[in-house]
Structure formats: structure tokens, C-alpha cells
PDB file of all heavy atoms in Angstrom:
ATOM      1  N   THR S 557      -4.690 -82.135  21.467  1.00 95.00           N
ATOM      2  CA  THR S 557      -5.010 -80.712  21.644  1.00 95.00           C
ATOM      3  C   THR S 557      -4.065 -79.796  20.871  1.00 95.00           C
ATOM      4  O   THR S 557      -4.497 -78.811  20.272  1.00 95.00           O
ATOM      5  CB  THR S 557      -5.003 -80.334  23.133  1.00 95.00           C
ATOM      6  OG1 THR S 557      -3.731 -80.626  23.705  1.00 95.00           O
ATOM      7  CG2 THR S 557      -6.080 -81.087  23.893  1.00 95.00           C
ATOM      8  N   TYR S 558      -2.770 -80.119  20.851  1.00 96.00           N
ATOM      9  CA  TYR S 558      -1.851 -79.299  20.063  1.00 96.00           C
ATOM     10  C   TYR S 558      -2.034 -79.579  18.573  1.00 96.00           C
ATOM     11  O   TYR S 558      -1.743 -78.713  17.735  1.00 96.00           O
ATOM     12  CB  TYR S 558      -0.404 -79.525  20.481  1.00 96.00           C
ATOM     13  CG  TYR S 558      -0.058 -78.847  21.789  1.00 96.00           C
ATOM     14  CD1 TYR S 558       0.941 -79.327  22.619  1.00 96.00           C
ATOM     15  CD2 TYR S 558      -0.755 -77.715  22.203  1.00 96.00           C
ATOM     16  CE1 TYR S 558       1.243 -78.709  23.819  1.00 96.00           C
ATOM     17  CE2 TYR S 558      -0.458 -77.093  23.402  1.00 96.00           C
ATOM     18  CZ  TYR S 558       0.537 -77.595  24.204  1.00 96.00           C
ATOM     19  OH  TYR S 558       0.826 -76.972  25.398  1.00 96.00           O
ATOM     20  N   GLY S 559      -2.506 -80.781  18.247  1.00 96.00           N
ATOM     21  CA  GLY S 559      -2.875 -81.048  16.857  1.00 96.00           C
ATOM     22  C   GLY S 559      -4.012 -80.137  16.420  1.00 96.00           C
ATOM     23  O   GLY S 559      -3.975 -79.528  15.345  1.00 96.00           O
ATOM     24  N   ALA S 560      -5.027 -80.016  17.284  1.00 97.00           N
ATOM     25  CA  ALA S 560      -6.144 -79.106  16.996  1.00 97.00           C
ATOM     26  C   ALA S 560      -5.642 -77.666  16.912  1.00 97.00           C
ATOM     27  O   ALA S 560      -6.039 -76.902  16.014  1.00 97.00           O
ATOM     28  CB  ALA S 560      -7.211 -79.236  18.077  1.00 97.00           C
ATOM     29  N   PHE S 561      -4.758 -77.292  17.829  1.00 96.00           N
ATOM     30  CA  PHE S 561      -4.196 -75.942  17.844  1.00 96.00           C
ATOM     31  C   PHE S 561      -3.467 -75.636  16.535  1.00 96.00           C
ATOM     32  O   PHE S 561      -3.657 -74.571  15.924  1.00 96.00           O
ATOM     33  CB  PHE S 561      -3.244 -75.821  19.037  1.00 96.00           C
ATOM     34  CG  PHE S 561      -2.492 -74.523  19.131  1.00 96.00           C
ATOM     35  CD1 PHE S 561      -3.157 -73.332  19.358  1.00 96.00           C
ATOM     36  CD2 PHE S 561      -1.112 -74.506  18.989  1.00 96.00           C
ATOM     37  CE1 PHE S 561      -2.461 -72.128  19.452  1.00 96.00           C
ATOM     38  CE2 PHE S 561      -0.404 -73.314  19.087  1.00 96.00           C
ATOM     39  CZ  PHE S 561      -1.089 -72.124  19.313  1.00 96.00           C
ATOM     40  N   GLY S 562      -2.641 -76.568  16.083  1.00 96.00           N
ATOM     41  CA  GLY S 562      -1.891 -76.365  14.843  1.00 96.00           C
ATOM     42  C   GLY S 562      -2.790 -76.302  13.622  1.00 96.00           C
ATOM     43  O   GLY S 562      -2.583 -75.473  12.731  1.00 96.00           O
ATOM     44  N   VAL S 563      -3.788 -77.164  13.572  1.00 97.00           N
ATOM     45  CA  VAL S 563      -4.722 -77.184  12.442  1.00 97.00           C
ATOM     46  C   VAL S 563      -5.500 -75.873  12.366  1.00 97.00           C
ATOM     47  O   VAL S 563      -5.692 -75.308  11.280  1.00 97.00           O
ATOM     48  CB  VAL S 563      -5.681 -78.381  12.571  1.00 97.00           C
ATOM     49  CG1 VAL S 563      -6.868 -78.247  11.612  1.00 97.00           C
ATOM     50  CG2 VAL S 563      -4.940 -79.683  12.302  1.00 97.00           C
ATOM     51  N   ILE S 564      -5.943 -75.379  13.506  1.00 97.00           N
ATOM     52  CA  ILE S 564      -6.688 -74.109  13.523  1.00 97.00           C
ATOM     53  C   ILE S 564      -5.809 -72.978  13.003  1.00 97.00           C
ATOM     54  O   ILE S 564      -6.253 -72.143  12.208  1.00 97.00           O
ATOM     55  CB  ILE S 564      -7.199 -73.795  14.941  1.00 97.00           C
ATOM     56  CG1 ILE S 564      -8.238 -74.823  15.367  1.00 97.00           C
ATOM     57  CG2 ILE S 564      -7.813 -72.396  14.993  1.00 97.00           C
ATOM     58  CD1 ILE S 564      -8.602 -74.760  16.841  1.00 97.00           C
ATOM     59  N   GLY S 565      -4.542 -72.943  13.418  1.00 95.00           N
ATOM     60  CA  GLY S 565      -3.633 -71.904  12.953  1.00 95.00           C
ATOM     61  C   GLY S 565      -3.416 -71.965  11.454  1.00 95.00           C
ATOM     62  O   GLY S 565      -3.472 -70.942  10.756  1.00 95.00           O
ATOM     63  N   ALA S 566      -3.156 -73.171  10.933  1.00 95.00           N
ATOM     64  CA  ALA S 566      -2.932 -73.333   9.495  1.00 95.00           C
ATOM     65  C   ALA S 566      -4.155 -72.901   8.695  1.00 95.00           C
ATOM     66  O   ALA S 566      -4.037 -72.270   7.638  1.00 95.00           O
ATOM     67  CB  ALA S 566      -2.587 -74.784   9.184  1.00 95.00           C
ATOM     68  N   SER S 567      -5.338 -73.218   9.198  1.00 94.00           N
ATOM     69  CA  SER S 567      -6.572 -72.909   8.484  1.00 94.00           C
ATOM     70  C   SER S 567      -6.931 -71.433   8.583  1.00 94.00           C
ATOM     71  O   SER S 567      -7.255 -70.782   7.584  1.00 94.00           O
ATOM     72  CB  SER S 567      -7.721 -73.754   9.056  1.00 94.00           C
ATOM     73  OG  SER S 567      -7.405 -75.122   9.038  1.00 94.00           O
ATOM     74  N   LEU S 568      -6.860 -70.906   9.801  1.00 94.00           N
ATOM     75  CA  LEU S 568      -7.271 -69.521  10.028  1.00 94.00           C
ATOM     76  C   LEU S 568      -6.350 -68.545   9.305  1.00 94.00           C
ATOM     77  O   LEU S 568      -6.814 -67.626   8.620  1.00 94.00           O
ATOM     78  CB  LEU S 568      -7.273 -69.242  11.532  1.00 94.00           C
ATOM     79  CG  LEU S 568      -7.835 -67.897  12.005  1.00 94.00           C
ATOM     80  CD1 LEU S 568      -9.255 -67.698  11.530  1.00 94.00           C
ATOM     81  CD2 LEU S 568      -7.771 -67.816  13.525  1.00 94.00           C
ATOM     82  N   PHE S 569      -5.038 -68.755   9.419  1.00 92.00           N
ATOM     83  CA  PHE S 569      -4.109 -67.835   8.769  1.00 92.00           C
ATOM     84  C   PHE S 569      -4.020 -68.087   7.265  1.00 92.00           C
ATOM     85  O   PHE S 569      -3.844 -67.152   6.484  1.00 92.00           O
ATOM     86  CB  PHE S 569      -2.725 -67.943   9.411  1.00 92.00           C
ATOM     87  CG  PHE S 569      -2.655 -67.284  10.750  1.00 92.00           C
ATOM     88  CD1 PHE S 569      -2.917 -67.997  11.909  1.00 92.00           C
ATOM     89  CD2 PHE S 569      -2.361 -65.933  10.861  1.00 92.00           C
ATOM     90  CE1 PHE S 569      -2.871 -67.386  13.148  1.00 92.00           C
ATOM     91  CE2 PHE S 569      -2.313 -65.311  12.097  1.00 92.00           C
ATOM     92  CZ  PHE S 569      -2.577 -66.032  13.250  1.00 92.00           C
ATOM     93  N   GLY S 570      -4.149 -69.351   6.855  1.00 87.00           N
ATOM     94  CA  GLY S 570      -4.110 -69.664   5.427  1.00 87.00           C
ATOM     95  C   GLY S 570      -5.236 -69.009   4.658  1.00 87.00           C
ATOM     96  O   GLY S 570      -5.080 -68.630   3.492  1.00 87.00           O
ATOM     97  N   PHE S 571      -6.379 -68.867   5.282  1.00 88.00           N
ATOM     98  CA  PHE S 571      -7.497 -68.182   4.657  1.00 88.00           C
ATOM     99  C   PHE S 571      -7.566 -66.721   5.078  1.00 88.00           C
ATOM    100  O   PHE S 571      -7.595 -65.821   4.247  1.00 88.00           O
ATOM    101  CB  PHE S 571      -8.820 -68.883   5.016  1.00 88.00           C
ATOM    102  CG  PHE S 571      -9.231 -69.922   4.029  1.00 88.00           C
ATOM    103  CD1 PHE S 571      -8.640 -71.176   4.037  1.00 88.00           C
ATOM    104  CD2 PHE S 571     -10.216 -69.669   3.095  1.00 88.00           C
ATOM    105  CE1 PHE S 571      -9.017 -72.142   3.125  1.00 88.00           C
ATOM    106  CE2 PHE S 571     -10.606 -70.627   2.178  1.00 88.00           C
ATOM    107  CZ  PHE S 571      -9.999 -71.871   2.190  1.00 88.00           C
ATOM    108  N   GLY S 572      -7.596 -66.489   6.385  1.00 88.00           N
ATOM    109  CA  GLY S 572      -7.858 -65.145   6.889  1.00 88.00           C
ATOM    110  C   GLY S 572      -6.865 -64.108   6.404  1.00 88.00           C
ATOM    111  O   GLY S 572      -7.244 -63.097   5.807  1.00 88.00           O
ATOM    112  N   VAL S 573      -5.582 -64.360   6.619  1.00 89.00           N
ATOM    113  CA  VAL S 573      -4.562 -63.359   6.280  1.00 89.00           C
ATOM    114  C   VAL S 573      -4.323 -63.316   4.774  1.00 89.00           C
ATOM    115  O   VAL S 573      -4.306 -62.236   4.168  1.00 89.00           O
ATOM    116  CB  VAL S 573      -3.248 -63.656   7.028  1.00 89.00           C
ATOM    117  CG1 VAL S 573      -2.167 -62.661   6.607  1.00 89.00           C
ATOM    118  CG2 VAL S 573      -3.476 -63.583   8.534  1.00 89.00           C
ATOM    119  N   LEU S 574      -4.150 -64.487   4.155  1.00 88.00           N
ATOM    120  CA  LEU S 574      -3.803 -64.501   2.733  1.00 88.00           C
ATOM    121  C   LEU S 574      -4.919 -63.934   1.869  1.00 88.00           C
ATOM    122  O   LEU S 574      -4.658 -63.205   0.906  1.00 88.00           O
ATOM    123  CB  LEU S 574      -3.446 -65.924   2.299  1.00 88.00           C
ATOM    124  CG  LEU S 574      -2.209 -66.530   2.974  1.00 88.00           C
ATOM    125  CD1 LEU S 574      -1.910 -67.905   2.415  1.00 88.00           C
ATOM    126  CD2 LEU S 574      -0.999 -65.617   2.790  1.00 88.00           C
ATOM    127  N   ILE S 575      -6.163 -64.245   2.190  1.00 90.00           N
ATOM    128  CA  ILE S 575      -7.268 -63.700   1.391  1.00 90.00           C
ATOM    129  C   ILE S 575      -7.381 -62.198   1.595  1.00 90.00           C
ATOM    130  O   ILE S 575      -7.614 -61.436   0.635  1.00 90.00           O
ATOM    131  CB  ILE S 575      -8.589 -64.416   1.737  1.00 90.00           C
ATOM    132  CG1 ILE S 575      -8.589 -65.811   1.118  1.00 90.00           C
ATOM    133  CG2 ILE S 575      -9.799 -63.618   1.249  1.00 90.00           C
ATOM    134  CD1 ILE S 575      -9.836 -66.616   1.368  1.00 90.00           C
ATOM    135  N   ALA S 576      -7.217 -61.733   2.817  1.00 90.00           N
ATOM    136  CA  ALA S 576      -7.281 -60.285   3.076  1.00 90.00           C
ATOM    137  C   ALA S 576      -6.189 -59.555   2.297  1.00 90.00           C
ATOM    138  O   ALA S 576      -6.428 -58.490   1.716  1.00 90.00           O
ATOM    139  CB  ALA S 576      -7.155 -60.017   4.567  1.00 90.00           C
ATOM    140  N   VAL S 577      -4.984 -60.121   2.286  1.00 88.00           N
ATOM    141  CA  VAL S 577      -3.879 -59.496   1.555  1.00 88.00           C
ATOM    142  C   VAL S 577      -4.165 -59.489   0.059  1.00 88.00           C
ATOM    143  O   VAL S 577      -3.958 -58.467  -0.622  1.00 88.00           O
ATOM    144  CB  VAL S 577      -2.555 -60.241   1.848  1.00 88.00           C
ATOM    145  CG1 VAL S 577      -1.451 -59.780   0.902  1.00 88.00           C
ATOM    146  CG2 VAL S 577      -2.137 -60.013   3.294  1.00 88.00           C
ATOM    147  N   GLU S 578      -4.651 -60.598  -0.471  1.00 87.00           N
ATOM    148  CA  GLU S 578      -4.926 -60.675  -1.902  1.00 87.00           C
ATOM    149  C   GLU S 578      -6.094 -59.791  -2.312  1.00 87.00           C
ATOM    150  O   GLU S 578      -6.112 -59.258  -3.427  1.00 87.00           O
ATOM    151  CB  GLU S 578      -5.152 -62.135  -2.304  1.00 87.00           C
ATOM    152  CG  GLU S 578      -3.862 -62.938  -2.237  1.00 87.00           C
ATOM    153  CD  GLU S 578      -4.053 -64.428  -2.450  1.00 87.00           C
ATOM    154  OE1 GLU S 578      -5.196 -64.853  -2.729  1.00 87.00           O
ATOM    155  OE2 GLU S 578      -3.043 -65.162  -2.356  1.00 87.00           O
ATOM    156  N   ARG S 579      -7.051 -59.617  -1.422  1.00 86.00           N
ATOM    157  CA  ARG S 579      -8.127 -58.654  -1.696  1.00 86.00           C
ATOM    158  C   ARG S 579      -7.550 -57.247  -1.770  1.00 86.00           C
ATOM    159  O   ARG S 579      -7.902 -56.459  -2.647  1.00 86.00           O
ATOM    160  CB  ARG S 579      -9.195 -58.703  -0.594  1.00 86.00           C
ATOM    161  CG  ARG S 579     -10.169 -59.859  -0.697  1.00 86.00           C
ATOM    162  CD  ARG S 579     -11.143 -59.879   0.466  1.00 86.00           C
ATOM    163  NE  ARG S 579     -11.819 -58.600   0.636  1.00 86.00           N
ATOM    164  CZ  ARG S 579     -11.704 -57.828   1.725  1.00 86.00           C
ATOM    165  NH1 ARG S 579     -10.935 -58.213   2.744  1.00 86.00           N
ATOM    166  NH2 ARG S 579     -12.349 -56.697   1.807  1.00 86.00           N
ATOM    167  N   GLY S 580      -6.665 -56.926  -0.827  1.00 85.00           N
ATOM    168  CA  GLY S 580      -6.059 -55.602  -0.805  1.00 85.00           C
ATOM    169  C   GLY S 580      -5.193 -55.330  -2.021  1.00 85.00           C
ATOM    170  O   GLY S 580      -5.113 -54.191  -2.495  1.00 85.00           O
ATOM    171  N   GLN S 581      -4.543 -56.369  -2.555  1.00 84.00           N
ATOM    172  CA  GLN S 581      -3.693 -56.216  -3.736  1.00 84.00           C
ATOM    173  C   GLN S 581      -4.493 -56.166  -5.035  1.00 84.00           C
ATOM    174  O   GLN S 581      -3.932 -55.869  -6.094  1.00 84.00           O
ATOM    175  CB  GLN S 581      -2.703 -57.388  -3.808  1.00 84.00           C
ATOM    176  CG  GLN S 581      -1.665 -57.399  -2.686  1.00 84.00           C
ATOM    177  CD  GLN S 581      -0.851 -58.672  -2.690  1.00 84.00           C
ATOM    178  OE1 GLN S 581      -1.295 -59.727  -3.187  1.00 84.00           O
ATOM    179  NE2 GLN S 581       0.347 -58.611  -2.118  1.00 84.00           N
ATOM    180  N   GLY S 582      -5.790 -56.499  -4.954  1.00 82.00           N
ATOM    181  CA  GLY S 582      -6.592 -56.553  -6.171  1.00 82.00           C
ATOM    182  C   GLY S 582      -6.490 -57.876  -6.900  1.00 82.00           C
ATOM    183  O   GLY S 582      -7.041 -58.048  -7.988  1.00 82.00           O
ATOM    184  N   TRP S 583      -5.787 -58.850  -6.275  1.00 80.00           N
ATOM    185  CA  TRP S 583      -5.584 -60.141  -6.933  1.00 80.00           C
ATOM    186  C   TRP S 583      -6.889 -60.927  -7.055  1.00 80.00           C
ATOM    187  O   TRP S 583      -7.154 -61.547  -8.080  1.00 80.00           O
ATOM    188  CB  TRP S 583      -4.546 -60.939  -6.162  1.00 80.00           C
ATOM    189  CG  TRP S 583      -4.206 -62.277  -6.760  1.00 80.00           C
ATOM    190  CD1 TRP S 583      -4.289 -63.481  -6.140  1.00 80.00           C
ATOM    191  CD2 TRP S 583      -3.722 -62.538  -8.083  1.00 80.00           C
ATOM    192  NE1 TRP S 583      -3.890 -64.482  -6.990  1.00 80.00           N
ATOM    193  CE2 TRP S 583      -3.545 -63.929  -8.190  1.00 80.00           C
ATOM    194  CE3 TRP S 583      -3.443 -61.739  -9.186  1.00 80.00           C
ATOM    195  CZ2 TRP S 583      -3.086 -64.536  -9.363  1.00 80.00           C
ATOM    196  CZ3 TRP S 583      -2.984 -62.342 -10.356  1.00 80.00           C
ATOM    197  CH2 TRP S 583      -2.805 -63.722 -10.430  1.00 80.00           C
ATOM    198  N   LEU S 584      -7.700 -60.876  -6.017  1.00 77.00           N
ATOM    199  CA  LEU S 584      -8.973 -61.589  -6.075  1.00 77.00           C
ATOM    200  C   LEU S 584      -9.887 -60.968  -7.131  1.00 77.00           C
ATOM    201  O   LEU S 584     -10.602 -61.675  -7.849  1.00 77.00           O
ATOM    202  CB  LEU S 584      -9.657 -61.570  -4.705  1.00 77.00           C
ATOM    203  CG  LEU S 584     -10.938 -62.389  -4.557  1.00 77.00           C
ATOM    204  CD1 LEU S 584     -10.722 -63.823  -5.012  1.00 77.00           C
ATOM    205  CD2 LEU S 584     -11.423 -62.365  -3.118  1.00 77.00           C
ATOM    206  N   GLU S 585      -9.844 -59.663  -7.250  1.00 77.00           N
ATOM    207  CA  GLU S 585     -10.628 -58.982  -8.285  1.00 77.00           C
ATOM    208  C   GLU S 585     -10.157 -59.417  -9.674  1.00 77.00           C
ATOM    209  O   GLU S 585     -10.974 -59.644 -10.571  1.00 77.00           O
ATOM    210  CB  GLU S 585     -10.475 -57.474  -8.120  1.00 77.00           C
ATOM    211  CG  GLU S 585     -11.323 -56.652  -9.080  1.00 77.00           C
ATOM    212  CD  GLU S 585     -11.200 -55.169  -8.815  1.00 77.00           C
ATOM    213  OE1 GLU S 585     -10.669 -54.784  -7.753  1.00 77.00           O
ATOM    214  OE2 GLU S 585     -11.626 -54.390  -9.685  1.00 77.00           O
ATOM    215  N   ALA S 586      -8.837 -59.537  -9.852  1.00 79.00           N
ATOM    216  CA  ALA S 586      -8.301 -59.994 -11.136  1.00 79.00           C
ATOM    217  C   ALA S 586      -8.748 -61.425 -11.424  1.00 79.00           C
ATOM    218  O   ALA S 586      -9.079 -61.766 -12.569  1.00 79.00           O
ATOM    219  CB  ALA S 586      -6.777 -59.899 -11.131  1.00 79.00           C
ATOM    220  N   LYS S 587      -8.765 -62.251 -10.403  1.00 77.00           N
ATOM    221  CA  LYS S 587      -9.191 -63.643 -10.583  1.00 77.00           C
ATOM    222  C   LYS S 587     -10.638 -63.712 -11.077  1.00 77.00           C
ATOM    223  O   LYS S 587     -11.002 -64.569 -11.884  1.00 77.00           O
ATOM    224  CB  LYS S 587      -9.082 -64.399  -9.255  1.00 77.00           C
ATOM    225  CG  LYS S 587      -7.669 -64.706  -8.808  1.00 77.00           C
ATOM    226  CD  LYS S 587      -7.206 -66.023  -9.370  1.00 77.00           C
ATOM    227  CE  LYS S 587      -5.924 -66.485  -8.715  1.00 77.00           C
ATOM    228  NZ  LYS S 587      -5.468 -67.780  -9.251  1.00 77.00           N
ATOM    229  N   ARG S 588     -11.467 -62.807 -10.583  1.00 74.00           N
ATOM    230  CA  ARG S 588     -12.881 -62.829 -10.957  1.00 74.00           C
ATOM    231  C   ARG S 588     -13.106 -62.480 -12.424  1.00 74.00           C
ATOM    232  O   ARG S 588     -14.152 -62.780 -12.975  1.00 74.00           O
ATOM    233  CB  ARG S 588     -13.654 -61.847 -10.077  1.00 74.00           C
ATOM    234  CG  ARG S 588     -13.834 -62.302  -8.639  1.00 74.00           C
ATOM    235  CD  ARG S 588     -14.452 -61.218  -7.797  1.00 74.00           C
ATOM    236  NE  ARG S 588     -14.814 -61.683  -6.469  1.00 74.00           N
ATOM    237  CZ  ARG S 588     -15.263 -60.897  -5.501  1.00 74.00           C
ATOM    238  NH1 ARG S 588     -15.403 -59.606  -5.711  1.00 74.00           N
ATOM    239  NH2 ARG S 588     -15.567 -61.390  -4.319  1.00 74.00           N
ATOM    240  N   THR S 589     -12.134 -61.819 -13.035  1.00 76.00           N
ATOM    241  CA  THR S 589     -12.291 -61.437 -14.444  1.00 76.00           C
ATOM    242  C   THR S 589     -11.891 -62.552 -15.394  1.00 76.00           C
ATOM    243  O   THR S 589     -12.070 -62.426 -16.605  1.00 76.00           O
ATOM    244  CB  THR S 589     -11.442 -60.186 -14.759  1.00 76.00           C
ATOM    245  OG1 THR S 589     -10.051 -60.515 -14.636  1.00 76.00           O
ATOM    246  CG2 THR S 589     -11.801 -59.033 -13.834  1.00 76.00           C
ATOM    247  N   THR S 590     -11.313 -63.638 -14.870  1.00 78.00           N
ATOM    248  CA  THR S 590     -10.863 -64.746 -15.713  1.00 78.00           C
ATOM    249  C   THR S 590     -11.955 -65.807 -15.820  1.00 78.00           C
ATOM    250  O   THR S 590     -12.900 -65.824 -15.032  1.00 78.00           O
ATOM    251  CB  THR S 590      -9.599 -65.385 -15.119  1.00 78.00           C
ATOM    252  OG1 THR S 590      -9.955 -66.092 -13.923  1.00 78.00           O
ATOM    253  CG2 THR S 590      -8.547 -64.333 -14.796  1.00 78.00           C
ATOM    254  N   PRO S 591     -11.830 -66.716 -16.800  1.00 77.00           N
ATOM    255  CA  PRO S 591     -12.820 -67.806 -16.931  1.00 77.00           C
ATOM    256  C   PRO S 591     -12.741 -68.840 -15.805  1.00 77.00           C
ATOM    257  O   PRO S 591     -13.600 -69.707 -15.701  1.00 77.00           O
ATOM    258  CB  PRO S 591     -12.463 -68.445 -18.280  1.00 77.00           C
ATOM    259  CG  PRO S 591     -11.583 -67.467 -18.976  1.00 77.00           C
ATOM    260  CD  PRO S 591     -10.882 -66.690 -17.913  1.00 77.00           C
ATOM    261  N   MET S 592     -11.670 -68.773 -14.987  1.00 79.00           N
ATOM    262  CA  MET S 592     -11.520 -69.741 -13.907  1.00 79.00           C
ATOM    263  C   MET S 592     -12.710 -69.667 -12.945  1.00 79.00           C
ATOM    264  O   MET S 592     -13.098 -68.574 -12.532  1.00 79.00           O
ATOM    265  CB  MET S 592     -10.237 -69.444 -13.128  1.00 79.00           C
ATOM    266  CG  MET S 592      -9.980 -70.403 -11.976  1.00 79.00           C
ATOM    267  SD  MET S 592      -8.862 -69.707 -10.736  1.00 79.00           S
ATOM    268  CE  MET S 592      -9.953 -68.571  -9.893  1.00 79.00           C
ATOM    269  N   PRO S 593     -13.304 -70.810 -12.604  1.00 83.00           N
ATOM    270  CA  PRO S 593     -14.398 -70.784 -11.618  1.00 83.00           C
ATOM    271  C   PRO S 593     -13.876 -70.292 -10.276  1.00 83.00           C
ATOM    272  O   PRO S 593     -12.806 -70.724  -9.821  1.00 83.00           O
ATOM    273  CB  PRO S 593     -14.853 -72.243 -11.541  1.00 83.00           C
ATOM    274  CG  PRO S 593     -13.714 -73.043 -12.083  1.00 83.00           C
ATOM    275  CD  PRO S 593     -13.010 -72.172 -13.071  1.00 83.00           C
ATOM    276  N   ILE S 594     -14.593 -69.372  -9.646  1.00 82.00           N
ATOM    277  CA  ILE S 594     -14.119 -68.790  -8.398  1.00 82.00           C
ATOM    278  C   ILE S 594     -13.971 -69.854  -7.318  1.00 82.00           C
ATOM    279  O   ILE S 594     -13.142 -69.727  -6.407  1.00 82.00           O
ATOM    280  CB  ILE S 594     -15.069 -67.657  -7.933  1.00 82.00           C
ATOM    281  CG1 ILE S 594     -14.420 -66.837  -6.812  1.00 82.00           C
ATOM    282  CG2 ILE S 594     -16.411 -68.215  -7.503  1.00 82.00           C
ATOM    283  CD1 ILE S 594     -13.169 -66.114  -7.206  1.00 82.00           C
ATOM    284  N   ALA S 595     -14.747 -70.944  -7.427  1.00 87.00           N
ATOM    285  CA  ALA S 595     -14.634 -72.018  -6.439  1.00 87.00           C
ATOM    286  C   ALA S 595     -13.249 -72.651  -6.465  1.00 87.00           C
ATOM    287  O   ALA S 595     -12.772 -73.158  -5.443  1.00 87.00           O
ATOM    288  CB  ALA S 595     -15.695 -73.084  -6.690  1.00 87.00           C
ATOM    289  N   ALA S 596     -12.570 -72.617  -7.626  1.00 88.00           N
ATOM    290  CA  ALA S 596     -11.226 -73.192  -7.719  1.00 88.00           C
ATOM    291  C   ALA S 596     -10.246 -72.425  -6.842  1.00 88.00           C
ATOM    292  O   ALA S 596      -9.322 -73.003  -6.260  1.00 88.00           O
ATOM    293  CB  ALA S 596     -10.756 -73.191  -9.173  1.00 88.00           C
ATOM    294  N   TYR S 597     -10.440 -71.128  -6.744  1.00 88.00           N
ATOM    295  CA  TYR S 597      -9.576 -70.285  -5.913  1.00 88.00           C
ATOM    296  C   TYR S 597      -9.668 -70.724  -4.454  1.00 88.00           C
ATOM    297  O   TYR S 597      -8.649 -70.912  -3.776  1.00 88.00           O
ATOM    298  CB  TYR S 597     -10.010 -68.828  -6.067  1.00 88.00           C
ATOM    299  CG  TYR S 597      -9.333 -67.854  -5.135  1.00 88.00           C
ATOM    300  CD1 TYR S 597      -8.036 -67.416  -5.381  1.00 88.00           C
ATOM    301  CD2 TYR S 597      -9.999 -67.363  -4.016  1.00 88.00           C
ATOM    302  CE1 TYR S 597      -7.418 -66.511  -4.523  1.00 88.00           C
ATOM    303  CE2 TYR S 597      -9.380 -66.458  -3.161  1.00 88.00           C
ATOM    304  CZ  TYR S 597      -8.097 -66.037  -3.418  1.00 88.00           C
ATOM    305  OH  TYR S 597      -7.492 -65.145  -2.567  1.00 88.00           O
ATOM    306  N   PHE S 598     -10.888 -70.911  -3.969  1.00 90.00           N
ATOM    307  CA  PHE S 598     -11.073 -71.299  -2.572  1.00 90.00           C
ATOM    308  C   PHE S 598     -10.694 -72.764  -2.344  1.00 90.00           C
ATOM    309  O   PHE S 598     -10.205 -73.120  -1.273  1.00 90.00           O
ATOM    310  CB  PHE S 598     -12.515 -71.044  -2.152  1.00 90.00           C
ATOM    311  CG  PHE S 598     -12.902 -69.588  -2.213  1.00 90.00           C
ATOM    312  CD1 PHE S 598     -13.829 -69.131  -3.122  1.00 90.00           C
ATOM    313  CD2 PHE S 598     -12.304 -68.666  -1.374  1.00 90.00           C
ATOM    314  CE1 PHE S 598     -14.172 -67.785  -3.196  1.00 90.00           C
ATOM    315  CE2 PHE S 598     -12.626 -67.319  -1.430  1.00 90.00           C
ATOM    316  CZ  PHE S 598     -13.561 -66.877  -2.343  1.00 90.00           C
ATOM    317  N   THR S 599     -10.899 -73.605  -3.367  1.00 92.00           N
ATOM    318  CA  THR S 599     -10.501 -75.012  -3.252  1.00 92.00           C
ATOM    319  C   THR S 599      -8.989 -75.131  -3.115  1.00 92.00           C
ATOM    320  O   THR S 599      -8.480 -75.954  -2.343  1.00 92.00           O
ATOM    321  CB  THR S 599     -10.984 -75.812  -4.472  1.00 92.00           C
ATOM    322  OG1 THR S 599     -12.403 -75.726  -4.566  1.00 92.00           O
ATOM    323  CG2 THR S 599     -10.574 -77.271  -4.372  1.00 92.00           C
ATOM    324  N   GLY S 600      -8.255 -74.312  -3.852  1.00 92.00           N
ATOM    325  CA  GLY S 600      -6.801 -74.321  -3.750  1.00 92.00           C
ATOM    326  C   GLY S 600      -6.328 -73.970  -2.352  1.00 92.00           C
ATOM    327  O   GLY S 600      -5.430 -74.610  -1.802  1.00 92.00           O
ATOM    328  N   LYS S 601      -6.946 -72.967  -1.761  1.00 92.00           N
ATOM    329  CA  LYS S 601      -6.578 -72.566  -0.406  1.00 92.00           C
ATOM    330  C   LYS S 601      -6.973 -73.644   0.606  1.00 92.00           C
ATOM    331  O   LYS S 601      -6.248 -73.889   1.575  1.00 92.00           O
ATOM    332  CB  LYS S 601      -7.226 -71.234  -0.062  1.00 92.00           C
ATOM    333  CG  LYS S 601      -6.482 -70.044  -0.685  1.00 92.00           C
ATOM    334  CD  LYS S 601      -6.859 -68.758  -0.054  1.00 92.00           C
ATOM    335  CE  LYS S 601      -5.870 -67.640  -0.346  1.00 92.00           C
ATOM    336  NZ  LYS S 601      -5.117 -67.713  -1.574  1.00 92.00           N
TER     337      LYS S 601
END
């Protein structure tokens, strides 16, 4: 159960907070202007 708890935290905050911050900074918008496939961004996370 604490394994599930820890995994949920790592996943939720790793995506939820970091993506929101990067959207606010314009970083995700900058990524979209590059030839890099957008799926690579989410795969990295």
C-alpha cells in the first residue's frame, strides 16, 4: 500500500506540477516549435 502511495506521488507530481510549471514558463510552447516529436517530451517524463 505504501508502494502504491509512493508511486502515485511520483507520477502525479512528476507530471502534474512539472508540466503546469513548464507550460507557465512557455517551455512546452518552445518545445513545440522544434523538430523534436512532442511524444518524446511526454516519454521522458
Side-chain angles (χ1 to χ4, degrees):
T557 58
Y558 284 153
F561 175 65
V563 166
I564 294 169
S567 306
L568 187 57
F569 285 91
F571 268 79
V573 177
L574 297 183
I575 285 181
V577 169
E578 290 173 4
R579 281 177 53 243
Q581 293 172 335
W583 182 236
L584 186 53
E585 184 176 347
K587 288 271 192 180
R588 288 173 172 174
T589 66
T590 71
M592 180 201 76
I594 193 63
Y597 172 78
F598 297 113
T599 301
K601 281 196 163 28

